[in-house]
Amino acid sequence: MLQSAAKVLSFASATSVSRGIAAGIRHYCKNTPTKLRVSQALSGAELGSNIKVQVSSVYWLVFSGNCAYLCDQTCRRNFSSFAAKLTTMVGWVRSVRAQKANVFLHVNDGSSLQSLQVIASSELLTFGSAVEVTGILKKSPHQKQPVELDAKQINVVGECNPVDFPFKIKERHGLEYIRQFPHLRCRTNAFSSLLRIRSEATAAIHSYFKDNGFVEINTPIITSNDCEGAGELFQVEPSGPDHADGENFFSVPAYLTVSGQLHLEVVSGAFSKAYTFGPTFRAENSQSRRHLAEFYMVEAEISFTQSLEDLTKVMEDMFRFATEHVLAHCVEDVDLFHKHVTPGHRLKEYLMSFLRITYREAIDILRRSSERFAFPTDWGCDLKTEHEKYLVKHCGNIPVFVTDYPYDLKPFYARDNQDHPERTAAAVDLLVPGVGELCGGSLREERLNLLSARLEEAGLEDVYSWYLDLRRFGSVPHGGFGLGFERYLQCILGVDNIKDVIPFPRFSHSCLL
């Protein structure tokens, strides 16, 4: 609308009329606050420095933020005299510092680790309070902050008693302490940084798959399958008086999913690349630093492949892409963790080359070690966390792929390498520093006779008759993997406890909120 007005007025001879309109626009812009987020304010977007000028034959339409000014040559030269305008910010008070004439507040709305300094005259504001501040955004004379807000009006939206508030203004609280307050810990610097990193990592993973031709599939949370075969399932049953007879709601036992893999395999019969990203559940009676009852999994399935190299390439590329994205978009948040939460953590080394060894080579390394392990290291033994961490350390603290596990260690769907006498499966795990296993995957057994024999041996041929149908009708060689998202965050941030990288952790004997 304003551009059209400028075009009409550029041909008008009534200069006084056009100047009157310009004055009206200036008055509107100066008296109508622009709403900004803290991250936008810190970028200096509303300081008038990025002014766009659209030229007509006589007048100029000058833009700054949400305001437009119609002016002639003289008005344009003096633009800075009215560029400053009211800005409104909302957020929570992170610090209060009183001096003789003014009170200096740091206000944060979650969009940035850095808070915006607000200069106010009121001393009635407390740490933790929610506020709405209207004032003029100015360049700050201090080097540590690019801008500051000179407050003209402050409304306290929500009061906070700093005495009862569990987080104190001048104390640095550890992750273990703030874990006691799942309803409040997002207000701390460390956990708000974690949530921003988590959000960016999620977006990066989706972006990687989209850019590489994968189709996202929403696999079900309620299922009748036990993909892992471990039996650690949460059974789903309705409650209430209408369901007191004990009859199965779904006519068959139903559970919360432990993996979307089998459903992705269904889809892989029509799509050459598919993935899912969602919650999974394990009824493990454990309160360890590594386990959760509810966590998020990234799972992918690739058709028309007979090579583990195809799987490991996607794992490695996705890890690099997501990590580089986080490092580029969450610089301050990642630095906070690496400097104050997990000092000494070195992430960039993980982006170097990934090493590849076989299970046989891994066992040889463990058996030659002088380390005393709690669990055996013989051929056929499953690798435990202590083994995985040792292997990573032995290989130079970089990510390590371990391939070709003993056939009997892997689920029924893993492809038989038919390499007697050892008899291994075409399976792979990705081990990373500080965590151990991050990804697990395999080529799937596409040969109907071998798959049928293994299901019959396990007594599962009736339960998985539909799975055999996938091999009967247009089956192709395929494979896939799953990545534990929380473990990925632990890896890149150096966080020791998995409960500190998920907003609301669920684990044995704990389901707060």
Side-chain angles (χ1 to χ4, degrees):
M1 181 180 70
L2 291 172
Q3 293 180 6
S4 299
K7 185 175 181 181
V8 172
L9 288 171
S10 65
F11 298 102
S13 60
T15 305
S16 59
V17 175
S18 61
R19 287 179 176 172
I21 294 174
I25 294 174
R26 291 198 299 271
H27 176 79
Y28 171 80
C29 292
K30 292 187 69 174
N31 290 278
T32 303
T34 300
K35 291 187 177 181
L36 290 180
R37 303 192 75 188
V38 168
S39 57
Q40 293 173 311
L42 292 172
S43 70
E46 294 298 313
L47 289 174
S49 57
N50 297 319
I51 301 168
K52 296 180 180 178
V53 180
Q54 181 170 327
V55 181
S56 65
S57 58
V58 179
Y59 298 98
W60 288 264
L61 191 62
V62 183
F63 298 94
S64 177
N66 292 344
C67 294
Y69 306 94
L70 186 68
C71 57
D72 58 13
Q73 182 70 36
T74 303
C75 175
R76 183 183 176 214
R77 285 197 299 267
N78 297 324
F79 176 77
S80 59
S81 65
F82 56 79
K85 58 184 179 295
L86 294 178
T87 298
T88 295
M89 314 292 302
V90 294
W92 293 265
V93 178
R94 289 288 178 87
S95 71
V96 181
R97 179 168 53 89
Q99 292 187 353
K100 291 182 180 179
N102 296 310
V103 175
F104 294 89
L105 311 173
H106 280 144
V107 177
N108 191 287
D109 65 355
S111 62
S112 167
L113 174 62
Q114 189 176 357
S115 298
L116 177 67
Q117 178 165 285
V118 176
I119 305 173
S121 58
S122 173
E123 298 186 10
L124 301 178
L125 298 165
T126 60
F127 171 62
S129 298
V131 295
E132 181 183 60
V133 186
T134 299
I136 297 176
L137 199 62
K138 299 179 177 180
K139 288 184 178 179
S140 174
H142 304 288
Q143 294 182 350
K144 293 184 178 181
Q145 56 201 27
V147 296
E148 58 190 18
L149 186 64
D150 188 1
K152 304 303 180 185
Q153 181 181 357
I154 299 180
N155 295 325
V156 178
V157 179
E159 296 181 350
C160 178
N161 185 338
V163 176
D164 298 332
F165 195 48
F167 309 132
K168 305 307 176 185
I169 191 170
K170 294 184 178 181
E171 295 183 19
R172 181 174 291 167
H173 304 287
L175 296 179
E176 187 173 354
Y177 174 78
I178 68 174
R179 198 186 309 140
Q180 303 173 72
F181 309 98
H183 56 304
L184 296 173
R185 66 175 177 168
C186 61
R187 305 190 190 188
T188 64
N189 281 340
F191 208 72
S192 62
S193 287
L194 179 278
L195 294 178
R196 281 188 293 272
I197 292 170
R198 187 182 174 102
S199 176
E200 285 294 340
T202 299
I205 289 171
H206 282 296
S207 179
Y208 170 80
F209 282 120
K210 181 178 180 180
D211 293 346
N212 286 275
F214 284 78
V215 176
E216 182 183 7
I217 304 298
N218 300 123
T219 55
I221 290 177
I222 299 176
T223 178
S224 58
N225 300 317
D226 178 6
C227 178
E228 297 296 321
E232 297 168 333
L233 304 171
F234 288 104
Q235 188 160 356
V236 177
E237 296 179 352
S239 62
D242 294 338
H243 306 284
D245 55 4
E247 182 181 354
N248 281 327
F249 181 84
F250 296 101
S251 299
V252 295
Y255 312 96
L256 295 180
T257 183
V258 298
S259 171
Q261 179 210 314
L262 296 183
H263 296 95
L264 279 184
E265 284 202 62
V266 171
V267 175
S268 70
F271 295 88
S272 59
K273 293 181 177 181
Y275 83 101
T276 188
F277 190 168
T280 53
F281 308 85
R282 304 279 173 88
E284 292 180 289
N285 189 17
S286 172
Q287 298 185 38
S288 74
R289 297 172 180 267
R290 288 171 46 84
H291 295 100
L292 290 168
E294 178 186 16
F295 53 96
Y296 279 70
M297 286 283 288
V298 181
E299 298 177 89
E301 204 72 21
I302 305 170
S303 299
F304 300 98
T305 179
Q306 293 181 315
S307 171
L308 279 179
E309 292 293 325
D310 291 341
L311 300 185
T312 58
K313 185 179 187 307
V314 174
M315 292 185 203
E316 183 173 345
D317 289 350
M318 181 182 66
F319 183 99
R320 290 179 186 277
F321 182 90
T323 304
E324 289 171 356
H325 179 93
V326 168
L327 288 174
H329 292 81
C330 301
V331 177
E332 291 182 333
D333 295 315
V334 172
D335 283 347
L336 173 71
F337 271 86
H338 291 175
K339 290 180 180 179
H340 302 294
V341 181
T342 56
H345 186 67
R346 295 176 294 179
L347 174 58
K348 290 187 178 180
E349 293 182 2
Y350 304 170
L351 299 177
M352 299 169 61
S353 60
F354 286 35
L355 189 65
R356 287 163 173 77
I357 62 175
T358 65
Y359 173 86
R360 165 56 72 189
E361 292 170 329
I363 290 297
D364 289 344
I365 292 171
L366 295 173
R367 299 195 69 177
R368 290 197 306 266
S369 169
S370 59
E371 193 96 359
R372 298 187 63 180
F373 298 110
F375 294 92
T377 56
D378 300 323
W379 171 269
C381 294
D382 199 5
L383 297 182
K384 302 298 183 182
T385 303
E386 60 174 352
H387 304 143
E388 295 167 348
K389 290 186 175 181
Y390 178 84
L391 289 169
V392 171
K393 183 179 179 181
H394 174 84
C395 295
N397 277 319
I398 61 173
V400 179
F401 287 111
V402 181
T403 65
D404 302 312
Y405 282 79
Y407 183 74
D408 291 336
L409 287 181
K410 293 302 176 180
F412 65 86
Y413 48 75
R415 195 176 197 275
D416 188 349
N417 281 331
Q418 294 186 308
D419 52 350
H420 299 287
E422 288 187 339
R423 196 186 188 189
T424 62
V428 58
D429 287 344
L430 174 59
L431 313 183
V432 294
V435 173
E437 182 188 347
L438 174 65
C439 295
S442 73
L443 297 180
R444 315 310 188 194
E445 185 57 81
E446 85 285 1
R447 295 162 293 188
L448 178 59
N449 60 325
L450 296 180
L451 179 61
S452 180
R454 190 163 196 192
L455 285 173
E456 184 177 356
E457 181 182 340
L460 297 173
E461 65 273 19
D462 292 335
V463 176
Y464 288 101
S465 59
W466 62 269
Y467 192 72
L468 293 173
D469 279 349
L470 299 180
R471 273 55 177 179
R472 292 189 179 101
F473 308 116
S475 178
V476 299
H478 61 287
F481 68 90
L483 174 145
F485 186 55
E486 282 72 28
R487 289 190 180 182
Y488 167 75
L489 294 173
Q490 282 185 275
C491 172
I492 66 172
L493 298 178
V495 176
D496 186 51
N497 197 316
I498 198 170
K499 301 175 185 66
D500 296 323
V501 293
I502 191 168
F504 304 102
R506 273 82 174 94
F507 52 96
S508 175
H509 306 297
S510 179
C511 187
L512 300 177
L513 305 188

